[in-house]
Amino acid sequence: MFDEKRATRRGLALGAAGLLALAGCGTGEAEAVDEVDATDAAGVESLKVEVVETYDHDAGSFTQGLQLAEHPTYGSVLYESAGLYGESDVRITDPGTGDVLATQDLPAEQFAEGLTLTDTDLWQITWQEHTAHRRDPVTLDIVESVSYEGEGWGICYDGAQLVMSDGSSTLTFRDPKTFAPTGTVDVTLDGEPVAQINELECVDGQVWANLWQTDQIVRIDPATGEVVAVVDAAGLLPEEDSAGADVLNGIAAAEEEGAFYLTGKHWPKLFLVRFTPA
């Protein structure tokens, strides 16, 4: 069963702030965002989504970050960061059932964004609170909280460094131990900047990223910032499941090579997918 406490907290959350944030990742006055067009971009793959399996997912989660990993008690799990003021938490879930196995709330004044696992730590970032929490991945307890400049949207770990987005077209690289910035790269498609970069997943030296307010996911070469593939995920959530759902957000590499878990904010479903030529 899904966490009943979450459902109760959702009803009691800070109404005004919650409604404001429902407009998107973290801003209530965001303008509509045009999808990127890879049609005439040389060397850019156009991909579509092939659904392999469909699972239940807690529709109470305003999904901001997602990562598959092994837990010493629960086995293969998804770590998930859920946002909104008064509702934010970090949780461990069963990918096959959607059950919430463990959870820790954030302070009501913090809006949780992306998360990622390093070799030893679980990092969770916040939207406008300039705070990153380094957590114990087993217990979810906060070990340390550090400050950073700018907004926090998505984050992933490539095995050597953290890669973080802030909603712009810039990715920031960070030290996985101290969270200190070590460099940046500007993301472009056919020479044009690609903004609204949100949830991230690092896989085999590449960065996969949700583009907020769109049904697109892009694959970025972090060495150059160039977008090398664009995934069209339109129609992934069936219309009969879309009542109350927000935008696509949440990408996690699956155990099988080339497969990914995808979900969205307040989505009642989690999908195991492959990306195939469009």
Side-chain angles (χ1 to χ4, degrees):
M1 295 177 62
F2 293 130
D3 188 351
E4 294 180 0
K5 182 189 71 172
R6 285 281 302 166
T8 301
R9 286 173 57 233
R10 187 177 177 196
L12 297 176
L14 303 178
L19 288 173
L20 180 68
L22 279 171
C25 182
T27 172
E29 298 180 355
E31 297 179 357
V33 176
D34 292 332
E35 294 188 342
V36 297
D37 185 0
T39 305
D40 298 321
V44 179
E45 290 184 273
S46 293
L47 304 173
K48 62 182 180 181
V49 172
E50 175 187 315
V51 176
V52 179
E53 296 285 350
T54 301
Y55 307 98
D56 289 334
H57 178 254
D58 181 6
S61 175
F62 195 73
T63 304
Q64 303 285 60
L66 197 67
Q67 184 168 352
L68 186 74
E70 287 295 315
H71 189 278
T73 301
Y74 305 119
S76 183
V77 300
L78 283 169
Y79 285 84
E80 185 167 348
S81 180
L84 297 179
Y85 288 113
E87 298 185 44
S88 289
D89 69 26
V90 59
R91 76 241 323 255
I92 297 171
T93 68
D94 183 328
T97 65
D99 288 348
V100 179
L101 304 174
T103 183
Q104 278 205 20
D105 298 341
L106 273 71
E109 66 275 12
Q110 291 189 2
F111 191 122
E113 287 282 348
L115 60 66
T116 193
L117 285 155
T118 68
D119 299 328
T120 57
D121 303 307
L122 174 66
W123 282 103
Q124 183 183 33
I125 58 176
T126 56
W127 173 38
Q128 290 187 324
E129 291 69 55
H130 316 294
T131 301
H133 299 296
R134 182 165 67 89
R135 296 178 179 272
D136 182 322
V138 177
T139 66
L140 302 181
D141 291 340
I142 293 176
V143 177
E144 177 188 20
S145 295
V146 300
S147 298
Y148 56 84
E149 295 183 0
E151 294 188 359
W153 285 42
I155 191 168
C156 66
Y157 176 60
D158 68 3
Q161 61 188 347
L162 299 169
V163 184
M164 181 172 160
S165 64
D166 61 5
S168 71
S169 59
T170 298
L171 295 177
T172 299
F173 305 115
R174 295 184 177 275
D175 184 284
K177 288 293 186 182
T178 67
F179 213 75
T182 58
T184 61
V185 68
D186 293 325
V187 179
T188 60
L189 173 62
D190 203 25
E192 296 297 320
V194 177
Q196 305 285 24
I197 299 171
N198 201 1
E199 222 280 270
L200 306 179
E201 179 76 341
C202 293
V203 182
D204 297 331
Q206 301 286 284
V207 177
W208 295 86
N210 285 123
L211 298 185
W212 181 50
Q213 290 185 297
T214 79
D215 290 317
Q216 291 181 315
I217 297 167
V218 296
R219 188 174 84 233
I220 303 163
D221 180 347
T224 64
E226 294 178 356
V227 170
V228 294
V230 177
V231 181
D232 180 4
L236 177 60
L237 185 68
E239 186 175 348
E240 60 268 24
D241 293 320
S242 63
D246 207 290
V247 297
L248 174 75
N249 199 52
I251 177 171
E255 293 172 330
E256 187 175 348
E257 185 177 357
F260 293 85
Y261 288 102
L262 299 182
T263 190
K265 304 172 189 286
H266 292 324
W267 279 27
K269 298 296 181 184
L270 171 77
F271 300 92
L272 179 64
V273 307
R274 289 187 172 279
F275 302 141
T276 60

